[in-house]
Amino acid sequence: MGRAIWDYYHNENPEDLQTETSISELDELPVEYLFRDFEDMNDIEQKALELSEGKVLDIGAGAGSHSLYLQNERNLEVTALDISPKSIEVCQLRGIKKAVCKNMLDFSDETFDTVLLLMNGTGVFESLAKIDTYLQKLYSLLNKGGQVLIDSTDILYMFDRDKDGGVYIPAGGYYGELDYVVHYKGESEEPITWLYLDFNTLKNAAKNNGFKIEKVLKDEDSYLAKLTKK
């Protein structure tokens, strides 16, 4: 994905990304979507950016569109964080003042008033087995009273149902744990584990890790949650 972002920014013959999961077919993701302005973002993204305040950490910043809006339009102090060196270089070239290439679990330089995880932010948790590790890390990154704004989708709708409304869910693990693969220009990343969470599962995990939590917006099967450090 970082290479696609780099190619698009430099006009180096960019192509659409292709994504697939263990339960879905190949899907096209236009690279320009990652460069969209606030007006072209969905309701959940816009709401999260409106709720952001203070010093902000944007985890999984990608091409930096969320960070740029907060920095340039909201005049907030923002750190863009991503594991892709090429994505971070593009963030810097687009004018983001502070952009860091590092895994969130290894980032401990400072604390924040708002932490953003958008575009299925729960995906970075990988699996239910690791969710406590990630939530504890997020807790440590917040100032007292700070907030995590995170979105996800309950993907139960993607599974077949019987005539009585029962859902056929594969045995062995939580149904939101998927293998996720990105393809670009004939090359494929190694599959990663990507976690889609229903709100109640996130709520229980957040409370177990010391957060207050509320659902601030629902859009069909997707939602935006606010986790507040007590």
Side-chain angles (χ1 to χ4, degrees), residues 12-203:
E12 294 284 348
N13 301 311
E15 297 179 5
D16 288 347
L17 290 153
Q18 293 182 311
T19 64
E20 61 180 321
T21 74
S22 44
I23 63 167
S24 62
E25 302 294 328
L26 209 61
D27 192 24
E28 298 283 338
L29 175 61
V31 187
E32 59 263 31
Y33 179 77
L34 303 176
F35 287 81
R36 65 203 179 284
D37 294 328
F38 180 83
E39 293 74 19
D40 296 319
M41 295 178 189
N42 62 42
D43 291 345
I44 284 176
E45 291 172 291
Q46 290 184 355
K47 184 67 172 178
L49 295 179
E50 289 167 357
L51 290 173
S52 296
E53 58 187 17
K55 188 178 172 185
V56 181
L57 177 65
D58 179 12
I59 296 177
S65 296
H66 299 136
S67 293
L68 273 175
Y69 174 79
L70 294 175
Q71 175 185 281
N72 296 346
E73 304 300 326
R74 297 282 316 282
N75 296 313
L76 298 177
E77 180 183 346
V78 184
T79 299
L81 186 72
D82 203 283
I83 61 172
S84 164
K86 287 189 178 295
S87 294
I88 289 301
E89 287 183 48
V90 170
C91 284
Q92 293 168 334
L93 290 167
R94 295 184 77 194
I96 296 173
K97 296 173 184 176
K98 187 171 183 181
V100 178
C101 184
K102 192 175 282 191
N103 187 299
M104 66 169 282
L105 293 177
D106 300 322
F107 182 80
S108 57
D109 301 4
E110 49 194 313
T111 54
F112 300 85
D113 302 303
T114 299
V115 175
L116 279 182
L117 292 108
L118 298 178
M119 297 181 69
N120 191 54
T122 65
V124 300
F125 297 162
E126 301 180 70
S127 67
L128 281 184
K130 296 183 180 180
I131 192 170
D132 288 343
T133 298
Y134 280 95
L135 286 173
Q136 288 164 21
K137 180 62 180 181
L138 288 171
Y139 196 89
S140 75
L141 288 170
L142 288 176
N143 295 323
K144 186 175 181 180
Q147 61 177 349
V148 175
L149 297 169
I150 186 168
D151 70 328
S152 194
T153 301
D154 184 352
I155 61 169
L156 195 62
Y157 73 92
M158 296 183 69
F159 294 87
D160 293 331
R161 297 177 181 269
D162 61 27
K163 61 182 180 181
D164 298 318
V167 183
Y168 295 108
I169 299 176
Y174 175 65
Y175 66 85
E177 295 177 354
L178 304 183
D179 291 330
Y180 186 88
V181 183
V182 177
H183 310 278
Y184 183 66
K185 289 188 173 179
E187 297 182 6
S188 301
E189 288 186 352
E190 289 295 318
I192 60 172
T193 307
W194 195 246
L195 182 63
Y196 291 87
L197 274 179
D198 68 279
F199 179 74
N200 284 334
T201 300
L202 176 60
K203 179 174 72 173

Side-chain angles (χ1 to χ4, degrees), residues 131-132 135-136 139 199-215 226-228 230:
I131 192 170
D132 288 343
L135 286 173
Q136 288 164 21
Y139 196 89
F199 179 74
N200 284 334
T201 300
L202 176 60
K203 179 174 72 173
N204 291 334
K207 287 182 175 180
N208 288 340
N209 285 279
F211 287 102
K212 293 188 296 183
I213 180 171
E214 63 176 306
K215 185 191 296 182
K226 180 169 79 170
L227 284 61
T228 308
K230 296 179 183 178

